[in-house]
Amino acid sequence: MPSRAEITYFGAGPALLPTEVLEDAAKALVNYQDTGLGIAEHSHRSQLATDIINKAKADLAAVLDIPDDYEVLFMHGGGTGEFSATAYNFVGAWVANKQKELGLDSTDPEAVQKLKEVIEKDLKLDYLVTGGWSQKASAEAERLFGPEHVNIVADSRKSNGGKFGTIPDESTWNLSKDAALVYYCANETVDGVEFQEFPKALEPGPDGKGPIVIADMSSNILTQKIPVKNFSAIFFGAQKNLGPTGITVVILKKSFLPPVTSQPSAALMRKLGLPIPPIILQYETIAKNNSLYNTLSIFDVYIIGRVLQRMLNTYPDKVAGQQAVTDKKAKLVYDAIEAFPDVYKVIPSKAARSRVNVCFRVTKGDDVDAAEKAFLTQATAQGLTGLKGHRSLGGIRASLYNSVPLEGAEKLANFIRAFATS
């Protein structure tokens, strides 16, 4: 059986974690700081737990240069849970702001009826659909609020033969006026599609005002610098670049929390015919309780904290240092693939290809399935594992998350070249 040191794992998630972080966590799981208890056994209400949460929040803010007017939440439910949570919370904020703007009394039946009419006419949730995850996010919004309230700003399948693999030109986007949110998935893990920069169409104006932008960064968080101030919320599952499965992080602009913005009461939402979020998905509840409204896995947050501390220790320039390594890894692999156009074919278009999920087909010979099976078998024999593409897309997928070292990308690039010439 191979040792951990002999394996380079390119799985799409749960992903590789730094060995030293896991070794430290293993000790903490048995006896944390000589308390005689493992970290998973300590109360989530203890000062020890609070310190771990606060340190992880502070280190994430340091790594990403998160401004002070943003809150960090640790939640459950993964990115899929956030498809619901973002829709619930930002529709709630939109309703609250409309009520304030119109000066309506929620106890007055005529005012409630007027607000209901405004909602029926004007409420829109905007979605950019560029892959499987953004498609699921838009479908969840339609399920919760009805298709009449969901606007598909752009769908890359319409200009790409019914398949994902591109990002439609911004000149073709159909943005709503005053949308409750504009959602996009910064990196589509399955389809290997990544936004190369923040969309110009979504940038705030000179007055600092702009669309309410929500981004799913589950698979490319901590791989590049982010203009955080352009977003109202960023969310991501921890299991790609940050920690183990089980924690979902939300970076939320504080203006969407009390005292600036409070969610409408459940009674008002019922009168308006709008869905009421489960309390565990309500951001103001989670923020008020410092992510401890219910039992949070402090062990998972501890691992997140150790990963962040390791990044701060490794890169004095914080996430910019990691970005340079990520870009080098991607270039190594793409250069190797493109050197043999008769053997390999990158699936997404060059302008939209992901730096962290490299999706390609092996077209060597007349039988693609046989060629890809041979590629995977030979790669595994060399300790290169987790390369099988997603079941919906097929092919090969190399996920170059932060814990995959530069040497691992070099090893994969060398194998890609050797297989092509064998």
Side-chain angles (χ1 to χ4, degrees):
M1 296 293 288
S3 68
R4 183 176 178 86
E6 295 172 309
I7 295 295
T8 305
Y9 182 60
F10 297 94
L16 192 70
L17 284 165
T19 298
E20 61 266 37
V21 169
L22 291 179
E23 289 172 342
D24 173 79
K27 293 176 183 176
L29 195 56
V30 176
N31 187 355
Y32 181 65
Q33 293 186 346
D34 295 324
T35 59
L37 290 176
I39 192 169
E41 297 167 312
H42 281 276
S43 170
H44 62 295
R45 304 292 183 196
S46 65
Q47 186 60 47
L48 176 151
T50 298
D51 291 345
I52 289 171
I53 290 170
N54 290 342
K55 182 70 164 60
K57 288 168 64 173
D59 286 347
L60 181 64
V63 169
L64 291 177
D65 290 322
I66 300 173
D68 290 341
D69 58 339
Y70 284 76
E71 182 61 79
V72 174
L73 310 177
F74 294 122
M75 299 182 67
H76 306 279
T80 303
E82 290 308 310
F83 298 162
S84 308
T86 50
Y88 280 131
N89 284 276
F90 284 94
V91 166
W94 187 91
V95 170
N97 287 329
K98 283 296 175 188
Q99 182 185 357
K100 187 186 301 183
E101 178 186 314
L102 298 170
L104 299 178
D105 180 358
S106 62
T107 63
D108 179 356
E110 289 186 8
V112 171
Q113 181 58 35
K114 185 175 180 180
L115 183 55
K116 191 172 184 179
E117 289 170 1
V118 170
I119 290 166
E120 289 172 355
K121 178 175 172 285
D122 296 335
L123 175 62
K124 291 294 180 185
L125 294 84
D126 279 10
Y127 287 82
L128 283 154
V129 178
T130 56
W133 290 114
S134 50
Q135 190 278 323
K136 287 183 177 180
S138 65
E140 177 66 355
E142 289 187 358
R143 188 184 73 86
L144 293 174
F145 293 95
E148 68 274 15
H149 291 303
V150 175
N151 172 47
I152 304 302
V153 174
D155 187 331
S156 60
R157 293 171 294 186
K158 292 183 177 179
S159 57
N160 195 45
K163 297 181 179 180
F164 294 122
T166 65
I167 295 174
D169 188 273
E170 291 187 30
S171 64
T172 68
W173 293 8
N174 176 36
L175 289 162
S176 300
K177 182 183 178 182
D178 189 32
L181 63 84
V182 182
Y183 163 98
Y184 75 95
C185 182
N187 184 82
E188 293 279 3
T189 317
V190 171
D191 303 281
V193 170
E194 184 177 23
F195 281 79
Q196 305 302 304
E197 60 184 4
F198 186 84
K200 287 183 171 51
L202 303 181
E203 288 180 350
D207 60 356
K209 296 180 180 179
I212 296 169
V213 182
I214 314 298
D216 178 353
M217 295 190 180
S218 289
S219 48
N220 67 349
I221 194 69
L222 299 176
T223 68
Q224 61 184 350
K225 294 185 73 174
I226 302 167
V228 177
K229 289 194 79 67
N230 288 358
F231 297 92
S232 295
I234 300 167
F235 68 83
F236 43 95
Q239 69 273 12
K240 315 287 188 183
N241 288 310
L242 191 57
T245 302
I247 298 291
T248 311
V249 183
V250 179
I251 301 170
L252 178 68
K253 199 165 190 175
K254 288 181 179 177
S255 60
F256 289 93
L257 293 170
V260 180
T261 305
S262 296
Q263 289 291 302
S265 69
L268 176 58
M269 294 295 273
R270 286 193 198 95
K271 291 175 185 176
L272 296 172
L274 292 172
I276 302 161
I279 199 164
I280 201 63
L281 294 182
Q282 193 172 63
Y283 291 154
E284 64 181 49
T285 299
I286 304 304
K288 180 181 178 182
N289 291 276
N290 195 27
S291 299
L292 288 172
Y293 180 76
N294 70 328
T295 307
L296 186 71
S297 174
I298 300 303
F299 178 60
D300 290 340
V301 178
Y302 175 75
I303 294 178
I304 287 170
R306 300 304 296 167
V307 169
L308 291 167
Q309 192 61 56
R310 178 177 181 268
M311 182 177 282
L312 287 168
N313 292 340
T314 303
Y315 302 112
D317 50 353
K318 300 177 286 191
V319 76
Q322 180 63 62
Q323 180 172 346
V325 175
T326 299
D327 292 348
K328 284 181 185 177
K329 290 188 294 185
K331 187 175 189 307
L332 279 167
V333 176
Y334 279 118
D335 283 354
I337 293 168
E338 292 183 320
F340 302 93
D342 295 333
V343 179
Y344 306 110
K345 181 181 182 299
V346 178
I347 297 173
S349 70
K350 192 164 188 173
R353 60 174 54 161
S354 171
R355 298 165 304 123
V356 288
N357 301 112
V358 181
C359 297
F360 62 100
R361 303 306 299 258
V362 182
T363 57
K364 184 178 184 179
D366 297 326
D367 190 336
V368 172
D369 288 342
E372 290 177 345
K373 185 176 181 180
F375 181 95
L376 292 168
T377 300
Q378 292 179 36
T380 299
Q382 294 196 26
L384 305 170
T385 65
L387 288 164
K388 188 175 181 179
H390 190 273
R391 62 188 180 277
S392 67
L393 195 64
I396 310 298
R397 175 173 56 173
S399 297
L400 304 174
Y401 298 138
N402 290 354
S403 291
V404 174
L406 186 61
E407 295 76 18
E410 289 171 344
K411 189 175 179 181
L412 176 59
N414 290 338
F415 170 74
I416 288 170
R417 294 176 185 275
F419 183 85
T421 55
S422 63

